[in-house]
Amino acid sequence: MQPIISIPQHWGYPRFALEQRTEQGTILGLYYYPSGTELAEQFDDGWRYALMPNKNSDEISYLKEDQIKPLTPEELFSEITAEIKFYQQQITILQQQLIVLTGGFTNA
Protein backbone atom coordinates (compact mmCIF):
# COMPACT_ATOMS: atom_id res chain seq x y z
CA MET A 1 0.00 0.00 0.00
CA GLN A 2 1.43 3.35 -1.05
CA PRO A 3 1.32 6.24 1.44
CA ILE A 4 -0.78 9.19 0.32
CA ILE A 5 0.00 12.83 0.96
CA SER A 6 -2.80 15.35 0.54
CA ILE A 7 -1.90 18.86 -0.55
CA PRO A 8 -4.53 21.60 -0.31
CA GLN A 9 -5.70 22.74 -3.74
CA HIS A 10 -4.74 26.36 -3.11
CA TRP A 11 -1.09 25.37 -2.55
CA GLY A 12 1.18 24.92 -5.54
CA TYR A 13 2.38 21.39 -6.13
CA PRO A 14 5.98 20.70 -4.99
CA ARG A 15 8.54 20.55 -7.77
CA PHE A 16 10.60 17.82 -6.11
CA ALA A 17 9.69 14.49 -4.50
CA LEU A 18 10.75 12.72 -1.34
CA GLU A 19 13.94 10.69 -1.82
CA GLN A 20 14.70 12.49 -5.08
CA ARG A 21 18.43 12.88 -5.71
CA THR A 22 19.57 16.40 -6.54
CA GLU A 23 22.89 18.23 -6.89
CA GLN A 24 22.50 19.34 -3.26
CA GLY A 25 21.68 15.86 -1.93
CA THR A 26 18.71 13.57 -1.35
CA ILE A 27 15.38 15.10 -0.36
CA LEU A 28 14.30 13.80 3.06
CA GLY A 29 11.39 16.10 3.78
CA LEU A 30 9.39 19.03 2.54
CA TYR A 31 7.22 21.67 4.10
CA TYR A 32 5.20 24.63 2.91
CA TYR A 33 4.92 28.25 4.01
CA PRO A 34 1.45 29.39 2.92
CA SER A 35 1.14 33.02 1.84
CA GLY A 36 -0.34 35.28 4.46
CA THR A 37 1.42 33.53 7.34
CA GLU A 38 4.14 34.99 9.53
CA LEU A 39 6.72 32.49 8.21
CA ALA A 40 5.87 33.39 4.61
CA GLU A 41 6.16 37.10 5.44
CA GLN A 42 9.58 36.50 6.98
CA PHE A 43 11.00 33.89 4.57
CA ASP A 44 8.76 34.00 1.43
CA ASP A 45 5.94 31.62 0.75
CA GLY A 46 6.38 28.30 -1.01
CA TRP A 47 7.99 24.94 -0.57
CA ARG A 48 11.09 24.25 1.50
CA TYR A 49 13.08 21.02 1.37
CA ALA A 50 15.23 19.18 3.89
CA LEU A 51 18.17 17.57 2.11
CA MET A 52 20.91 15.21 3.22
CA PRO A 53 23.99 16.19 1.19
CA ASN A 54 25.82 12.96 2.03
CA LYS A 55 24.27 9.68 3.14
CA ASN A 56 27.21 9.09 5.49
CA SER A 57 26.67 12.34 7.37
CA ASP A 58 24.11 13.63 9.83
CA GLU A 59 24.23 17.06 8.18
CA ILE A 60 20.89 18.39 6.87
CA SER A 61 20.41 21.47 4.73
CA TYR A 62 17.15 23.37 4.28
CA LEU A 63 16.64 24.98 0.89
CA LYS A 64 13.97 26.85 -1.01
CA GLU A 65 12.67 25.30 -4.18
CA ASP A 66 14.58 27.70 -6.44
CA GLN A 67 17.87 26.80 -4.71
CA ILE A 68 17.68 23.13 -5.73
CA LYS A 69 19.03 21.77 -8.99
CA PRO A 70 17.90 18.34 -10.18
CA LEU A 71 20.47 15.89 -11.49
CA THR A 72 20.61 15.40 -15.24
CA PRO A 73 19.53 11.94 -16.44
CA GLU A 74 23.21 11.16 -17.13
CA GLU A 75 24.27 12.21 -13.61
CA LEU A 76 21.45 10.21 -12.06
CA PHE A 77 22.34 7.14 -14.15
CA SER A 78 25.99 7.42 -13.15
CA GLU A 79 25.17 7.85 -9.45
CA ILE A 80 22.78 4.88 -9.38
CA THR A 81 25.17 2.69 -11.38
CA ALA A 82 28.00 3.46 -8.94
CA GLU A 83 25.75 2.61 -6.00
CA ILE A 84 24.70 -0.70 -7.60
CA LYS A 85 28.37 -1.57 -8.18
CA PHE A 86 29.20 -0.77 -4.56
CA TYR A 87 26.41 -3.00 -3.23
CA GLN A 88 27.30 -5.82 -5.63
CA GLN A 89 30.84 -5.73 -4.21
CA GLN A 90 29.42 -5.83 -0.67
CA ILE A 91 27.29 -8.87 -1.59
CA THR A 92 30.36 -10.64 -3.03
CA ILE A 93 32.32 -9.98 0.17
CA LEU A 94 29.46 -11.32 2.32
CA GLN A 95 29.13 -14.42 0.14
CA GLN A 96 32.85 -15.08 0.54
CA GLN A 97 32.51 -14.71 4.30
CA LEU A 98 29.67 -17.24 4.29
CA ILE A 99 31.78 -19.71 2.32
CA VAL A 100 34.60 -19.40 4.85
CA LEU A 101 32.17 -19.69 7.77
CA THR A 102 30.42 -22.80 6.41
CA GLY A 103 33.58 -24.44 5.12
CA GLY A 104 32.26 -24.25 1.57
CA PHE A 105 28.85 -25.76 2.33
CA THR A 106 25.84 -23.55 1.67
CA ASN A 107 22.13 -24.19 1.22
CA ALA A 108 22.11 -22.16 -1.98
PDB file of all heavy atoms in Angstrom, residues 91-107:
ATOM      1  N   ILE A  91      27.914  -7.551  -1.539  1.00  0.00           N
ATOM      2  CA  ILE A  91      27.294  -8.873  -1.592  1.00  0.00           C
ATOM      3  C   ILE A  91      28.354  -9.949  -1.831  1.00  0.00           C
ATOM      4  O   ILE A  91      28.363 -10.996  -1.178  1.00  0.00           O
ATOM      5  CB  ILE A  91      26.188  -8.924  -2.669  1.00  0.00           C
ATOM      6  CG1 ILE A  91      24.997  -8.090  -2.217  1.00  0.00           C
ATOM      7  CG2 ILE A  91      25.768 -10.358  -2.966  1.00  0.00           C
ATOM      8  CD1 ILE A  91      23.961  -7.842  -3.306  1.00  0.00           C
ATOM      9  N   THR A  92      29.286  -9.687  -2.744  1.00  0.00           N
ATOM     10  CA  THR A  92      30.363 -10.642  -3.032  1.00  0.00           C
ATOM     11  C   THR A  92      31.205 -10.895  -1.787  1.00  0.00           C
ATOM     12  O   THR A  92      31.529 -12.041  -1.465  1.00  0.00           O
ATOM     13  CB  THR A  92      31.249 -10.127  -4.187  1.00  0.00           C
ATOM     14  OG1 THR A  92      30.426  -9.967  -5.345  1.00  0.00           O
ATOM     15  CG2 THR A  92      32.392 -11.068  -4.479  1.00  0.00           C
ATOM     16  N   ILE A  93      31.529  -9.839  -1.064  1.00  0.00           N
ATOM     17  CA  ILE A  93      32.319  -9.978   0.171  1.00  0.00           C
ATOM     18  C   ILE A  93      31.564 -10.820   1.192  1.00  0.00           C
ATOM     19  O   ILE A  93      32.129 -11.726   1.817  1.00  0.00           O
ATOM     20  CB  ILE A  93      32.675  -8.587   0.742  1.00  0.00           C
ATOM     21  CG1 ILE A  93      33.683  -7.894  -0.165  1.00  0.00           C
ATOM     22  CG2 ILE A  93      33.198  -8.697   2.180  1.00  0.00           C
ATOM     23  CD1 ILE A  93      33.884  -6.422   0.138  1.00  0.00           C
ATOM     24  N   LEU A  94      30.268 -10.556   1.358  1.00  0.00           N
ATOM     25  CA  LEU A  94      29.464 -11.316   2.317  1.00  0.00           C
ATOM     26  C   LEU A  94      29.342 -12.782   1.903  1.00  0.00           C
ATOM     27  O   LEU A  94      29.388 -13.686   2.755  1.00  0.00           O
ATOM     28  CB  LEU A  94      28.081 -10.676   2.472  1.00  0.00           C
ATOM     29  CG  LEU A  94      28.060  -9.312   3.171  1.00  0.00           C
ATOM     30  CD1 LEU A  94      26.685  -8.678   3.053  1.00  0.00           C
ATOM     31  CD2 LEU A  94      28.472  -9.448   4.624  1.00  0.00           C
ATOM     32  N   GLN A  95      29.198 -13.031   0.616  1.00  0.00           N
ATOM     33  CA  GLN A  95      29.133 -14.421   0.140  1.00  0.00           C
ATOM     34  C   GLN A  95      30.432 -15.153   0.437  1.00  0.00           C
ATOM     35  O   GLN A  95      30.420 -16.326   0.841  1.00  0.00           O
ATOM     36  CB  GLN A  95      28.817 -14.446  -1.361  1.00  0.00           C
ATOM     37  CG  GLN A  95      27.386 -14.070  -1.678  1.00  0.00           C
ATOM     38  CD  GLN A  95      27.122 -13.900  -3.164  1.00  0.00           C
ATOM     39  OE1 GLN A  95      28.016 -13.535  -3.927  1.00  0.00           O
ATOM     40  NE2 GLN A  95      25.892 -14.155  -3.575  1.00  0.00           N
ATOM     41  N   GLN A  96      31.548 -14.469   0.241  1.00  0.00           N
ATOM     42  CA  GLN A  96      32.849 -15.084   0.535  1.00  0.00           C
ATOM     43  C   GLN A  96      32.985 -15.377   2.027  1.00  0.00           C
ATOM     44  O   GLN A  96      33.522 -16.411   2.417  1.00  0.00           O
ATOM     45  CB  GLN A  96      33.979 -14.178   0.050  1.00  0.00           C
ATOM     46  CG  GLN A  96      34.075 -14.098  -1.453  1.00  0.00           C
ATOM     47  CD  GLN A  96      35.035 -13.018  -1.941  1.00  0.00           C
ATOM     48  OE1 GLN A  96      35.516 -12.199  -1.167  1.00  0.00           O
ATOM     49  NE2 GLN A  96      35.298 -13.026  -3.241  1.00  0.00           N
ATOM     50  N   GLN A  97      32.480 -14.491   2.862  1.00  0.00           N
ATOM     51  CA  GLN A  97      32.515 -14.710   4.300  1.00  0.00           C
ATOM     52  C   GLN A  97      31.663 -15.915   4.686  1.00  0.00           C
ATOM     53  O   GLN A  97      32.035 -16.698   5.566  1.00  0.00           O
ATOM     54  CB  GLN A  97      32.060 -13.462   5.052  1.00  0.00           C
ATOM     55  CG  GLN A  97      33.045 -12.321   4.965  1.00  0.00           C
ATOM     56  CD  GLN A  97      32.522 -11.039   5.608  1.00  0.00           C
ATOM     57  OE1 GLN A  97      31.395 -10.971   6.066  1.00  0.00           O
ATOM     58  NE2 GLN A  97      33.365 -10.012   5.618  1.00  0.00           N
ATOM     59  N   LEU A  98      30.525 -16.073   4.030  1.00  0.00           N
ATOM     60  CA  LEU A  98      29.669 -17.240   4.288  1.00  0.00           C
ATOM     61  C   LEU A  98      30.365 -18.538   3.896  1.00  0.00           C
ATOM     62  O   LEU A  98      30.274 -19.548   4.610  1.00  0.00           O
ATOM     63  CB  LEU A  98      28.347 -17.119   3.519  1.00  0.00           C
ATOM     64  CG  LEU A  98      27.223 -16.367   4.206  1.00  0.00           C
ATOM     65  CD1 LEU A  98      26.006 -16.293   3.287  1.00  0.00           C
ATOM     66  CD2 LEU A  98      26.863 -17.003   5.531  1.00  0.00           C
ATOM     67  N   ILE A  99      31.063 -18.520   2.776  1.00  0.00           N
ATOM     68  CA  ILE A  99      31.784 -19.709   2.321  1.00  0.00           C
ATOM     69  C   ILE A  99      32.844 -20.097   3.341  1.00  0.00           C
ATOM     70  O   ILE A  99      32.980 -21.273   3.694  1.00  0.00           O
ATOM     71  CB  ILE A  99      32.390 -19.479   0.915  1.00  0.00           C
ATOM     72  CG1 ILE A  99      31.263 -19.424  -0.129  1.00  0.00           C
ATOM     73  CG2 ILE A  99      33.412 -20.557   0.578  1.00  0.00           C
ATOM     74  CD1 ILE A  99      31.708 -18.960  -1.508  1.00  0.00           C
ATOM     75  N   VAL A 100      33.578 -19.123   3.842  1.00  0.00           N
ATOM     76  CA  VAL A 100      34.603 -19.399   4.850  1.00  0.00           C
ATOM     77  C   VAL A 100      33.947 -19.921   6.124  1.00  0.00           C
ATOM     78  O   VAL A 100      34.400 -20.903   6.721  1.00  0.00           O
ATOM     79  CB  VAL A 100      35.428 -18.117   5.148  1.00  0.00           C
ATOM     80  CG1 VAL A 100      36.294 -18.315   6.379  1.00  0.00           C
ATOM     81  CG2 VAL A 100      36.259 -17.742   3.945  1.00  0.00           C
ATOM     82  N   LEU A 101      32.861 -19.303   6.536  1.00  0.00           N
ATOM     83  CA  LEU A 101      32.166 -19.688   7.766  1.00  0.00           C
ATOM     84  C   LEU A 101      31.605 -21.093   7.684  1.00  0.00           C
ATOM     85  O   LEU A 101      31.686 -21.858   8.662  1.00  0.00           O
ATOM     86  CB  LEU A 101      31.038 -18.683   8.041  1.00  0.00           C
ATOM     87  CG  LEU A 101      30.199 -18.924   9.292  1.00  0.00           C
ATOM     88  CD1 LEU A 101      31.041 -18.704  10.540  1.00  0.00           C
ATOM     89  CD2 LEU A 101      28.988 -18.019   9.298  1.00  0.00           C
ATOM     90  N   THR A 102      31.061 -21.476   6.553  1.00  0.00           N
ATOM     91  CA  THR A 102      30.419 -22.798   6.410  1.00  0.00           C
ATOM     92  C   THR A 102      31.375 -23.859   5.887  1.00  0.00           C
ATOM     93  O   THR A 102      30.956 -24.996   5.666  1.00  0.00           O
ATOM     94  CB  THR A 102      29.197 -22.686   5.482  1.00  0.00           C
ATOM     95  OG1 THR A 102      29.629 -22.274   4.183  1.00  0.00           O
ATOM     96  CG2 THR A 102      28.157 -21.743   6.027  1.00  0.00           C
ATOM     97  N   GLY A 103      32.603 -23.489   5.638  1.00  0.00           N
ATOM     98  CA  GLY A 103      33.577 -24.445   5.116  1.00  0.00           C
ATOM     99  C   GLY A 103      33.242 -24.852   3.689  1.00  0.00           C
ATOM    100  O   GLY A 103      33.575 -25.939   3.247  1.00  0.00           O
ATOM    101  N   GLY A 104      32.590 -23.980   2.979  1.00  0.00           N
ATOM    102  CA  GLY A 104      32.261 -24.253   1.573  1.00  0.00           C
ATOM    103  C   GLY A 104      30.892 -24.848   1.368  1.00  0.00           C
ATOM    104  O   GLY A 104      30.442 -24.994   0.252  1.00  0.00           O
ATOM    105  N   PHE A 105      30.201 -25.195   2.471  1.00  0.00           N
ATOM    106  CA  PHE A 105      28.851 -25.760   2.333  1.00  0.00           C
ATOM    107  C   PHE A 105      27.801 -24.678   2.535  1.00  0.00           C
ATOM    108  O   PHE A 105      27.803 -23.990   3.545  1.00  0.00           O
ATOM    109  CB  PHE A 105      28.633 -26.869   3.366  1.00  0.00           C
ATOM    110  CG  PHE A 105      29.571 -28.029   3.195  1.00  0.00           C
ATOM    111  CD1 PHE A 105      30.671 -28.173   4.012  1.00  0.00           C
ATOM    112  CD2 PHE A 105      29.359 -28.957   2.181  1.00  0.00           C
ATOM    113  CE1 PHE A 105      31.535 -29.236   3.860  1.00  0.00           C
ATOM    114  CE2 PHE A 105      30.234 -30.014   2.014  1.00  0.00           C
ATOM    115  CZ  PHE A 105      31.316 -30.159   2.847  1.00  0.00           C
ATOM    116  N   THR A 106      26.941 -24.517   1.556  1.00  0.00           N
ATOM    117  CA  THR A 106      25.840 -23.553   1.673  1.00  0.00           C
ATOM    118  C   THR A 106      24.548 -24.227   1.245  1.00  0.00           C
ATOM    119  O   THR A 106      24.559 -25.260   0.583  1.00  0.00           O
ATOM    120  CB  THR A 106      26.064 -22.319   0.779  1.00  0.00           C
ATOM    121  OG1 THR A 106      26.091 -22.731  -0.580  1.00  0.00           O
ATOM    122  CG2 THR A 106      27.348 -21.585   1.126  1.00  0.00           C
ATOM    123  N   ASN A 107      23.444 -23.671   1.606  1.00  0.00           N
ATOM    124  CA  ASN A 107      22.127 -24.188   1.218  1.00  0.00           C
ATOM    125  C   ASN A 107      21.672 -23.615  -0.111  1.00  0.00           C
ATOM    126  O   ASN A 107      20.557 -23.866  -0.544  1.00  0.00           O
ATOM    127  CB  ASN A 107      21.078 -23.870   2.291  1.00  0.00           C
ATOM    128  CG  ASN A 107      21.325 -24.669   3.553  1.00  0.00           C
ATOM    129  OD1 ASN A 107      21.918 -25.744   3.506  1.00  0.00           O
ATOM    130  ND2 ASN A 107      20.867 -24.147   4.682  1.00  0.00           N
TER     131      ASN A 107
END
